[in-house]
Amino acid sequence: MYLQCPFPMRLGRARQVLFYQQKFVIVSTSTASFVFLWMLCCVTLVSAQEKATLTGVITDEITLEPLSGASIVLKGTGLGTAADAKGNYTIQNIEAGTYLVQVSLVGYTKVQRTGVVIRAGETLRLDFRLKESSVSSEAVTIIGERPMMDFEQTTSSSTLSPELIALAPLKDVRELAATQIGVVKTPDGLHLRGGRSYETGFYIDGISVRDPLAGTGFGLDLTPEAFADLEIITGGAGAEFGESSAGVVKVKTKEGGDVYHSTLTLRRDNLFFDTPVGWNTSRYAATASGPVPFKKVFPFLSGDVYFFAALSLNFTDEFYKTPAQQLRPTEFSTFFAPANDNKWDGIFKLTYKLSGTDKFTLLFTRSLVINQNAQSLQITGNDLQLQPGYQFAFALIPDSGNVYTHDTNVEALQWTHVFSRQTVLSLQATRFFTQLRAEVGGLPWRPGVLEADFDPRSVVTNPQYVNPNDTIVYAAAPSGLYSKGVAPLWHDHYAEDYGVKADLLYNTEDESQRFLFGLDAKFSEYQWIDLTRPWIGAPYAAGEPSRRLGIAPDIWRVNAAQGAVYVSDNVRLGDFFATAGVRVQYWLPGSFLDDAVADPNSLVPPGFREPYLKNTSNIFGRRVSFRVLPKISMSFPLAPAQTFFFNYGQSSMLPHPRFLYAGLDARYSDDSTTARIGNPSLRPEITTAYELGFRGQFSENDVVTLTGFYKDVKDLIVSAKLDYT
């Protein structure tokens, strides 16, 4: 549960207080209640028991040599030390209790031992052996049960492990994310802390997979069997994330290992025959992973190669009483659409590890969704409708409703190189392509010969007449549902992004500071074709010229670019953690918009030209806008196993391309009174967010979290009727 404040133009003073103990959540927005609970949770009983001591030695796992300088800390207490030249360490004055002991050293995998019981007056010996880390230096080895509380966490986030994901009977990332506090799933997408669905950023292995044109937020469906972990960040996302004002849903996919492994899953709600009971739902999933014996073919190469592959098929007739007999997409065979809602997705990942200093990853993913869900194309703005995507008007003739085909694929190549124990470089090149088509029964967007009236409003069986004695008579279906004709929408769009990303990570020798330098650049091509009643103006006979593009054409193709340079510094002073960062973001709307604004004869209203030029800069003949987005977060202990955290940050969301480019191509302009005209002077939405909170672990199984947040959103987009002649 969480509190949501969806004010139409400005979001502010949204506070959230959460008390979480296993399955129980209490929400309050009262300031007095917040202060009272805060003071209650910050009370710490001081014990007069005799102090204890923890001692041991830190060695290399392979060579057994002592590791001088290794850091040993009791998380959440402020107690810690460093190993001496012989690897020995001693921590004194420890209160009796159960602790999480962490050992770390640059160049080695961090080790956490949970559930360490230290009794009053005793001297407990605890030795550790560390393993040299490969290029994936973020790995943590946990001895014992996974800790319930992360004392270093400065943000609000939750992580689902592969074990939890495997137990959840859910079929995609959105359903998994919706199980977490602060996340709500509605027909139009995911809402994080009351944010709009398009404000949620979706990342798979660091690649943004949000469809920038559909408006539904998520562009790529991926089977949960491919997830190594799923993290949902609802507050305090770092400077490396862009276009995610509400929060971030981040997925890391699995990699192959030294042992061959495969799984096969089959789930159905019937015994392989359709019945009126149930939704005729079936799910098939398979995975395979293991080493690739490439040395037999290439004996001169060193290193190891691993693969991971997964395939998932999901079919259902959903809750429809009378689903369509057969969906007929023009881009794919009917083989891919045996049900009313069809989802295919697959992933193939190759990992090449070379000498412990270099790692290469090649990733291919693709998903295909074919259904009749009108929410597939939900442009979030003033026309947003929070309702199921079922096309009610075509309930009597579902085969005449729109069929939506969403095809998405991602290719990525990543190289990670370890220069030293302190410095790691990561380079990534990606391609993201997504296409969405809405059509009817496999029909072309307009016929070569017009032999019938396709308008469902004009072809009514057993009509009921309105004002029969008037000069204008209206005919309507008695049931209010169409009985003939086809859906009046034909739509096709695609977005193709080519991106490059570079991250340089530097750790100081004593691990007190961690610097991240990065740059992110993306080059995009968008095409949009949106036609209402496209048969209007079609030729009456073969050979006759076409006269119109329906009654409301919106057609454009543009090239745009965006990116950022960012830097952050993570500081650790004992049990005090802080991160300060900044993201400098740039955006080029493209020559299509630049030329339209510069042309006095274009369709751009005069009032939009001057603000566009004012808000952008001319660099090498192209208009560019910049935005500086600061990020700050911190966490420090109030008492053993109790921490206070705070974060502040700004983030931005670019306007939907339709709001910028609609109707500005004179070749396909709509001269009707309902024509949409884009506004080149729209500025990105800017969200300023504050959050403060408290975390405390009061027993081995009980953690309390109190969180309050405030958001301020500026430059929200609205539409107005413009009398422009």
Side-chain angles (χ1 to χ4, degrees), residues 37-38 93 162 197 321 397 423 460 558 569 628:
L37 289 174
W38 186 283
N93 298 320
S197 60
K321 181 179 179 181
I397 48 173
T423 309
V460 180
V558 300
D569 179 16
V628 179

Side-chain angles (χ1 to χ4, degrees), residues 560-621:
Q562 61 176 298
V565 177
Y566 50 89
V567 60
S568 65
D569 179 16
N570 182 270
V571 180
R572 173 182 174 180
L573 298 174
D575 268 2
F576 173 81
F577 302 91
T579 300
V582 63
R583 181 181 180 91
V584 181
Q585 199 153 288
Y586 67 86
W587 173 40
L588 291 84
S591 59
F592 178 88
L593 219 54
D594 294 348
D595 297 342
V597 171
D599 184 1
N601 298 318
S602 69
L603 300 177
V604 178
F608 295 165
R609 299 177 189 271
E610 184 177 349
Y612 179 76
L613 298 175
K614 180 181 178 180
N615 296 331
T616 59
S617 303
N618 190 336
I619 299 180
F620 301 114

Side-chain angles (χ1 to χ4, degrees), residues 523-683:
F523 306 90
S524 306
E525 180 177 84
Y526 303 145
Q527 177 175 285
W528 180 274
I529 303 175
D530 196 77
L531 306 174
T532 302
R533 301 173 68 194
W535 53 81
I536 298 297
Y540 287 96
E544 290 188 7
S546 299
R547 297 175 178 85
R548 296 182 63 182
L549 295 171
I551 63 171
D554 186 10
I555 304 174
W556 38 265
R557 179 189 291 178
V558 300
N559 293 94
Q562 61 176 298
V565 177
Y566 50 89
V567 60
S568 65
D569 179 16
N570 182 270
V571 180
R572 173 182 174 180
L573 298 174
D575 268 2
F576 173 81
F577 302 91
T579 300
V582 63
R583 181 181 180 91
V584 181
Q585 199 153 288
Y586 67 86
W587 173 40
L588 291 84
S591 59
F592 178 88
L593 219 54
D594 294 348
D595 297 342
V597 171
D599 184 1
N601 298 318
S602 69
L603 300 177
V604 178
F608 295 165
R609 299 177 189 271
E610 184 177 349
Y612 179 76
L613 298 175
K614 180 181 178 180
N615 296 331
T616 59
S617 303
N618 190 336
I619 299 180
F620 301 114
R622 288 287 168 247
R623 309 302 302 185
V624 185
S625 65
F626 296 92
R627 183 74 188 188
V628 179
L629 306 171
K631 309 273 187 177
I632 299 174
S633 62
M634 64 182 67
S635 171
F636 57 88
L638 298 173
Q642 299 177 21
T643 62
F644 169 87
F645 65 94
F646 167 81
N647 59 71
Y648 157 83
Q650 288 190 350
S651 54
S652 70
M653 290 296 303
L654 296 179
H656 189 282
R658 183 192 186 193
F659 302 149
L660 294 169
Y661 307 113
L664 297 184
D665 193 331
R667 296 172 298 173
Y668 309 109
S669 61
D670 178 13
D671 57 2
S672 69
T673 57
T674 59
R676 291 180 180 268
I677 299 295
N679 182 359
S681 65
L682 289 176
R683 304 178 64 180

